C-alpha cells in the first residue's frame, strides 16, 4: 500500500527516531481501524531506521498465538537470545523459563519484564535501537505487559519503541504511551490513492468507492481494484445499507477467496488456522487433508499471501475471511490435523484439540489443564486463565469444571483482569458447594473488591471464605484470616477485625502461620485499647521475621506491627531488607506495600526526602499494576509530606483530589493525610483550625493505629488554642501506649506533651531533648527545640531561648520544612532578634525521588548495572539520574557521594 497523506504522523515518527539517535528514549503507538495504514507506516519507518544505521527489532501479534504465554515476546527477542548472559542472572533465568528454554519454578512476570528492558537496553549499546511491534492487540498479555513495562522506564537510552494497534471492542490498555490516532485520509488524498491503484474506474464507481471507503486506505485499494468494481456490478451490501469499512473490506476478500479453486480454499484455511506454525507443519496439514503444497499457488498469484520461510497473509482481514467463512466441519478437520501433526508442541496440540472439540471431553480438558500449568511455570497469567477457562468448558464433571474455572479466575486477577476474574469467580461459586473451591473463588472476589470498592468489602468476603475452611483446611483458612485482618485494618473496619479474630479463637494454624496469627490477635488488642496485651505478640513476630527469607506476607505484617509499636529503626532495617528481597525476586506486586511501610517509617524518623522517594515509586508501581487502593494510600502519605514541607498549595490540591476516594478505601492512610493537614495549620499558627482537625483524627476510627503518633500535635494545638482539656483523653491513651511499647521515641514525645501542659516545664523539655538527641529523628528534636524555645522566651531567658530557636530554624531548613522554619524565625523576631534569612535546604531535598534512590545506592558502592537491576531501570537511565544529581549535590563524581548521603545526624542509632 502506498504511503499517502500521513505527513503529521510521519513528523511525529521522525522526531521519535531523531530523539533516539540523540540518546533520548521514546515510545509511540499508532492506533486505528483495520486497513487504516498502520502497517504501511510501520514498514516506512523501519526502512528509514535501517537507512539511518539504527538496529531494528521487529515483531507482530498473531491471533492464533494470543493465548500462548510470551509467544509474541519470544518471536521478537528470539534472534538475540545469545545476549541473555549479559543480563542479571535472575532476569536471564526468567526469560529462559518464559521461552521454554529452561526448567524452573514459576517464572516471575516482573522479572520477565525487567529482563525485556535489560535485553533491549543491551541491544542499544551497539547502535540506536528501533523496537517495532505490529498488531499489538493480538500479542499475548504477558508480552504486552513486558514491552510496556520497558517502554515506560527508558529515559536516556537510544531506543525508540513503536507499536501499531488496531481499534477493537476490547481495546489494549496502553496507558502511559503517547498515541497517534490514525483516521481516514482527507478527500484529496483518498482520491489520489484511488487513482494511483485504479486509474480506469468510471466515475459512478469511483465516486461510490470513495464514499463507501470512508478514507480507509485498504478499503480504497481493495474496493477500487476488485473485480466487482471493474465490472461496475452493484454491491449487495447496499441493499441493507452501508456496512462498517472493515466488514466491507473483509467481504471483498471473501469474494476473492470463493472464486479460487476448492483445494486452494482448503489450503488457505489450513494456513489461516495457525499462521505461527512452521511452514513445514502447515504443508503437512495441507497434505493430511488430501491437498498438496501447490494448492496455495493461485492464492499467492492473487497476492492474498506470501510464502518464504513462513506464510504471511497480505492483511489480517484476508486471514479472517479465509478462516471465518469456512464451514465448521472444515475448521474442525484442520484443527484435528494440526493436533495430529508429528512436530506439534504440547501447548499448540492442546489448543488445536480444544478448537476441534464441540462438547465436553475430559481428555482434552486435561490436556488444556496441563497447558495451563506449563503457562504458570512460564509466568503467563493470562495464558493460564485462558487455558483453565477452556478446560472448564470442556469438563464433563461439575466439580472439575468449578475447580478449573476458579483457577482461571485467580489467574485472571493476577493478570490484572478484574472484570474477568469477578465473572469467573461468580460462575465457579454457582457450580459447586465444595468448601475449598468456594473459598478460593470468594478469596478472588475479595481481591477484586479491594480494588473496586473498599478493603472493607474484601474483609467481609475473606471472613466468609475463612469460615468455610476453618476446620478442614488450615492453610486456606490462615490465608483468608490474614487477608481479612489486613483489609479490615486498612479500612479501619474494627468491627470486622473483631469478627475475624473471634473466628480465629480456637483455630490451629499451620506452624509457619502461627506467629502471624498471634500477631494479628495483637492488632485486635491494640485497636481495642489494650496495648499491654498487644505489644508482646507483635514484637515476637518481628523477632521471628528479622532474619529475612520469610514469607512476604509475614514480613509485611511484622512491618506494619512494628510501626504500631514505635519500633521505627527496626522497621526501617527490616523493611529495607524485605525491599531488597522483593526487588531481587521480581515480586513487583509487593513493592507498593513494602514501600508504604518504609515511607511511613522514614516519615516518623524525619527522613522526608527518603520518604518522598518511597511514595513516588510506590504510587507509580501501584498505578502501573492497577492497584487503586494502594495508589491512594501512597498519595495520602504524600499529602502529609507536602504539609511538613510547608507547600500549602500543593498540599491542599492533592488532599482535595485524593481524600474523598482514600477515605472510602484506605482509611488509615487517609487519616495520615488529615493529620498532615492539621499539622500544616499548626506550623502556620492556625491553632484553632489545627485543633479541630487533629481532634477528629485522634478520636477517629484509626486513632489507635499509626495515628496514635498524631497525639503530640493535638496536645500542642490544644495548648496554643487555650483549650488543653480537649487533649486530655487522647493524651492519656497515648501515655498508656507509650509505657507499653517502651521505646525511646515514644518516651520523648510523652515528655514533650507533659512539658507543654506543665507550668515548670524546663526539666521535662530537657529530658525530652536528651532522649531525642539519640532517638526520634531531627524533625521531632527540632519540634521540641521550637516549643522549648517558645517557653524560654516567655520566661525571658533570652540566651537559652535564642539557642534553641536558632537550632530549630537550622534543622527545619535542612529538612525543607519551610513553614516550621518560618514559625521559628518568627519567634526569634518576636523575641527582639532579627531572624536569619532563609537558608538553602539540605542537598538531598533538592533531588527528585528517583535521583535520591539512585544516589543512595551509588553511595554504597553499587554499579550502574546493579542499581538498574534493583530499580528496574536501564544502566543508561541510572547514569542519567546520577549526571543530573551531581551538580545539585555539589559533587563531581560518585566517589564523593559516600560522606554526603551517609545517614546524617538523624537522632537514631543505625
Amino acid at each position: 500500500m502506498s504511503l499517502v497523506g500521513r505527513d503529521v504522523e510521519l513528523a511525529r515518527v521522525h522526531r521519535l527516531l531523531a530523539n533516539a539517535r540523540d540518546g533520548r528514549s521514546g515510545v509511540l503507538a499508532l492506533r486505528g481501524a483495520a486497513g487504516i495504514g498502520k502497517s504501511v507506516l510501520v514498514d516506512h519507518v523501519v526502512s528509514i531506521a535501517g537507512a539511518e544505521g539504527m538496529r531494528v527489532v521487529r515483531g507482530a501479534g498473531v491471533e492464533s498465538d494470543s493465548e500462548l504465554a510470551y509467544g509474541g515476546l519470544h518471536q521478537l527477542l528470539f534472534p538475540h537470545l545469545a545476549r541473555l548472559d549479559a543480563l542479571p542472572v535472575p532476569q536471564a533465568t526468567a526469560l529462559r523459563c518464559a521461552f521454554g528454554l529452561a526448567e524452573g519454578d514459576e517464572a516471575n512476570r516482573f522479572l520477565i519484564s525487567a529482563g525485556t528492558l535489560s535485553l533491549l537496553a543491551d541491544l542499544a549499546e551497539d547502535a540506536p535501537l528501533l523496537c517495532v511491534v505490529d498488531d499489538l492487540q493480538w500479542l499475548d498479555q504477558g508480552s504486552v505487559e513486558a514491552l510496556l513495562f520497558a517502554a515506560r522506564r527508558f529515559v536516556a537510552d537510544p531506543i525508540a519503541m513503536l507499536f501499531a494497534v488496531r481499534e477493537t471492542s476490547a481495546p489494549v490498555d496502553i496507558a502511559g504511551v503517547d498515541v497517534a490516532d490514525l483516521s481516514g485520509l482527507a478527500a484529496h488524498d483518498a482520491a489520489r490513492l484511488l487513482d494511483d491503484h485504479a486509474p480506469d474506474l468510471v466515475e459512478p464507481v469511483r465516486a461510490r468507492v470513495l464514499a463507501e471507503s470512508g478514507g480507509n486506505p485498504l478499503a480504497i485499494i481493495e474496493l477500487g481494484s476488485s473485480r466487482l468494481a471493474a465490472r461496475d456490478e452493484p454491491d449487495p451490501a447496499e441493499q441493507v445499507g452501508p456496512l462498517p469499512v472493515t466488514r466491507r473490506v473483509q467481504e471483498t476478500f471473501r469474494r476473492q477467496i470463493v472464486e479460487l479453486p476448492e483445494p486452494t480454499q482448503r489450503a488457505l484455511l489450513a494456513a489461516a488456522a495457525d499462521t505461527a506454525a512452521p511452514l513445514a507443519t502447515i504443508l503437512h496439514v495441507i497434505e493430511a487433508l488430501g491437498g498438496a503444497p501447490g494448492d496455495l499457488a493461485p492464492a499467492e498469484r492473487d497476492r492474498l499471501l506470501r510464502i518464504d520461510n513462513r506464510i504471511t497473509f497480505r492483511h489480517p482481514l484476508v486471514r479472517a475471511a479465509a478462516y471465518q467463512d469456512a464451514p465448521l466441519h472444515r475448521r474442525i478437520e484442520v484443527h484435528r490435523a494440526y493436533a495430529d501433526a508429528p512436530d506439534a508442541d504440547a501447548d499448540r496440540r492442546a489448543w488445536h484439540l480444544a478448537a476441534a472439540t464441540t462438547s465436553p471431553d475430559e481428555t482434552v480438558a486435561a490436556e488444556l489443564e496441563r497447558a495451563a500449568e506449563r503457562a504458570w511455570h512460564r509466568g503467563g497469567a493470562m495464558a493460564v486463565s485462558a487455558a483453565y477457562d477452556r478446560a472448564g468448558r470442556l469438563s464433563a464433571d461439575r466439580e472439575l469444571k468449578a475447580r478449573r474455572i476458579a483457577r482461571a479466575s485467580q489467574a485472571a486477577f493476577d493478570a490484572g483482569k478484574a472484570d474477568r476474574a469477578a465473572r469467573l469467580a461468580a460462575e465457579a461459586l454457582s457450580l459447586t458447594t465444595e468448601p475449598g473451591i468456594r473459598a478460593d473463588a470468594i478469596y478472588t472476589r475479595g481481591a477484586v473488591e479491594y480494588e473496586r470498592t473498599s478493603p472493607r468489602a474484601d474483609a467481609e468476603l475473606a471472613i466468609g471464605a475463612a469460615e468455610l475452611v476453618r476446620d478442614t483446611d488450615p492453610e486456606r483458612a490462615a490465608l483468608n484470616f490474614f487477608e481479612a485482618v489486613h483489609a479490615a485494618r486498612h479500612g479501619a473496619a474494627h468491627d470486622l477485625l473483631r469478627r475475624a479474630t473471634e473466628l480465629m479463637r480456637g483455630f490451629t494454624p499451620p506452624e509457619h502461620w502461627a506467629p502471624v496469627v498471634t500477631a494479628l490477635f495483637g492488632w485486635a488488642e491494640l485497636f481495642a485499647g489494650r496495648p499491654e496485651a498487644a505489644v508482646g505478640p507483635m514484637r515476637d513476630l518481628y523477632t521471628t521475621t528479622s532474619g529475612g527469607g520469610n514469607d512476604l506476607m509475614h514480613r509485611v505484617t511484622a512491618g506494619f506491627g512494628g510501626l504500631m509499636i514505635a519500633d521505627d529503626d527496626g522497621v526501617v532495617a527490616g523493611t529495607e531488607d524485605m525491599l531488597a528481597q522483593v526487588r531481587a525476586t521480581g515480586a513487583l506486586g509487593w513493592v507498593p506495600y513494602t514501600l508504604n511501610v518504609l515511607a511511613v517509617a522514614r516519615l516518623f524518623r524525619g527522613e522526608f526526602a527518603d520518604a518522598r522517594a518511597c511514595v513516588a515509586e510506590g504510587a507509580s508501581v501501584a498505578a502501573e499494576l492497577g492497584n487503586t487502593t494502594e495508589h491512594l494510600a501512597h498519595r495520602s502519605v504524600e499529602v502529609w509530606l507536602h504539609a511538613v514541607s510547608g507547600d500549602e498549595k500543593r498540599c491542599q490540591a492533592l488532599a482535595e483530589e485524593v481524600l474523598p476516594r482514600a477515605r472510602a478505601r484506605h482509611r488509615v492512610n487517609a487519616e495520615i493525610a488529615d493529620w498532615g493537614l492539621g499539622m500544616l495549620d499548626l506550623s502556620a499558627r492556625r491553632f484553632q483550625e489545627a485543633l479541630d482537625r487533629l481532634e477528629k483524627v485522634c478520636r477517629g476510627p484509626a486513632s489507635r493505629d499509626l495515628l496514635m503518633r498524631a497525639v503530640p500535635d493535638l496536645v500542642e494545638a490544644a495548648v496554643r488554642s487555650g483549650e488543653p482539656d480537649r487533649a486530655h483523653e487522647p493524651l492519656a491513651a497515648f501515655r498508656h501506649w507509650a509505657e507499653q511499647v517502651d521505646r525511646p521515641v515514644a518516651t520523648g514525645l510523652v515528655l514533650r506533651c507533659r512539658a507543654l501542659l506543665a507550668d515548670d516545664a524546663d526539666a521535662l523539655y530537657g529530658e525530652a531533648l536528651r532522649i531525642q538527641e539519640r532517638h526520634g529523628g531531627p524533625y521531632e528534636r527540632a519540634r521540641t527545640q521550637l516549643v522549648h524555645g517558645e517557653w524560654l522566651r516567655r520566661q525571658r531567658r533570652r540566651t537559652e531561648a535564642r539557642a534553641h530557636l536558632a537550632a530549630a530554624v537550622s534543622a527545619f531548613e535542612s529538612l525543607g520544612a519551610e513553614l516550621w522554619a518560618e514559625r521559628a524565625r518568627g519567634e526569634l523576631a518576636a523575641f527582639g532578634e532579627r531572624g536569619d534569612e532563609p537558608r538553602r535546604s539540605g542537598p538531598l531535598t533538592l533531588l527528585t525521588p528517583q535521583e535520591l534512590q539512585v544516589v543512595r545506592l551509588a553511595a554504597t558502592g553499587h554499579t550502574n548495572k546493579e542499581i538498574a537491576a534493583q530499580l528496574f531501570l536501564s544502566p543508561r537511565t541510572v547514569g542519567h539520574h546520577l549526571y543530573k544529581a551531581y551538580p545539585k549535590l555539589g559533587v563531581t563524581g560518585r566517589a564523593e557521594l559516600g560522606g554526603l548521603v551517609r545517614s546524617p545526624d538523624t537522632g537514631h542509632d543505625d
Side-chain angles (χ1 to χ4, degrees), residues 67 187 416 506 821:
E67 306 297 357

Side-chain angles (χ1 to χ4, degrees), residues 270-271 280-291 333-335 337-339 341:
T281 302
I282 297 175
L283 296 179
H284 171 86
V285 168
I286 291 172
E287 290 172 346
L289 295 171
E333 286 175 354
V334 167
H335 286 296
Y338 272 111

Side-chain angles (χ1 to χ4, degrees), residues 409-421:
S409 172
Q410 179 61 58
F413 181 79
D414 292 342
K417 301 294 184 182
D419 289 343
R420 175 184 172 88

Side-chain angles (χ1 to χ4, degrees), residues 560-849:
F560 280 123
L563 291 175
M564 295 176 208
I565 58 175
D567 189 8
D568 304 340
D569 296 349
V571 170
V572 167
T575 309
E576 283 186 330
D577 182 68
M578 178 182 171
L579 184 61
Q581 177 186 345
V582 164
R583 294 193 193 284
T585 58
L588 198 65
W590 281 98
V591 165
Y593 299 98
T594 309
L595 286 172
N596 187 215
V597 175
L598 192 55
V600 175
R602 290 202 177 281
L603 175 155
F604 285 159
R605 296 211 310 182
E607 297 165 351
F608 302 138
D610 291 285
R612 289 186 188 95
C614 292
V615 164
E617 184 183 4
S620 174
V621 173
E624 185 166 25
L625 297 176
N627 189 335
T628 304
T629 299
E630 206 59 26
H631 179 260
L632 287 169
H634 279 281
R635 299 305 302 277
S636 297
V637 175
E638 188 180 351
V639 172
W640 196 101
L641 291 168
H642 284 320
V644 79
S645 72
D647 191 337
E648 293 205 59
K649 186 174 181 180
R650 290 178 69 187
C651 181
Q652 296 287 358
L654 183 60
E656 289 174 9
E657 174 193 340
V658 166
L659 277 176
R661 293 178 296 150
R663 288 189 181 109
R665 287 180 174 267
H666 205 300
R667 187 61 184 268
V668 171
N669 278 29
E671 294 282 287
I672 289 176
D674 271 322
W675 171 17
L677 292 172
M679 183 181 58
L680 182 69
D681 288 330
L682 186 60
S683 64
R685 303 180 64 87
R686 297 188 291 265
F687 297 127
Q688 191 62 52
E689 293 91 332
L691 175 59
D692 293 341
R693 189 182 292 275
L694 290 167
E695 188 173 32
K696 290 179 183 177
V697 169
C698 293
R699 295 180 182 274
S703 60
R704 293 192 176 105
D705 202 299
L706 303 179
L707 279 299
M708 186 65 75
R709 302 284 279 270
V711 171
D713 287 342
L714 170 66
V715 172
E716 184 177 341
V719 169
R720 294 292 183 253
S721 299
E723 300 182 69
D725 290 349
R726 289 173 65 177
H728 282 165
E729 185 180 336
L731 178 57
F734 181 77
R735 291 183 66 174
H736 180 48
W737 167 82
E739 289 168 3
Q740 299 306 314
V741 302
D742 193 26
R743 303 296 300 178
V745 60
T747 303
L749 292 172
V750 167
L751 287 166
R752 187 171 83 208
C753 291
R754 289 176 57 198
L756 279 162
L757 292 163
D759 292 328
D760 186 7
D762 204 19
L764 291 170
Y765 279 129
E767 183 60 24
L769 284 171
R770 278 190 291 275
I771 291 174
Q772 290 173 337
E773 284 296 324
R774 289 180 53 81
H775 306 280
Y779 172 68
E780 293 298 354
R781 184 169 67 245
R783 292 281 304 276
T784 303
Q785 288 168 329
L786 171 61
V787 291
H788 192 194
E790 290 173 336
W791 183 82
L792 288 167
R793 183 181 66 80
R794 289 193 297 275
Q795 303 301 312
R796 292 183 169 80
R797 293 163 60 178
R798 299 169 58 92
T799 302
E800 295 165 278
R802 184 168 54 247
H804 282 294
L805 291 170
V809 169
S810 177
F812 287 138
E813 287 179 337
S814 178
L815 291 167
E818 180 49 40
L819 274 182
W820 284 111
E822 186 177 319
R823 176 173 153 184
R825 285 193 294 268
E827 286 293 322
L828 283 172
F831 185 54
E833 297 283 338
R834 180 180 176 183
D836 293 336
E837 290 299 314
R839 297 188 304 169
R840 170 177 158 169
S841 299
L844 297 185
T845 65
L846 303 177
L847 303 180
T848 68

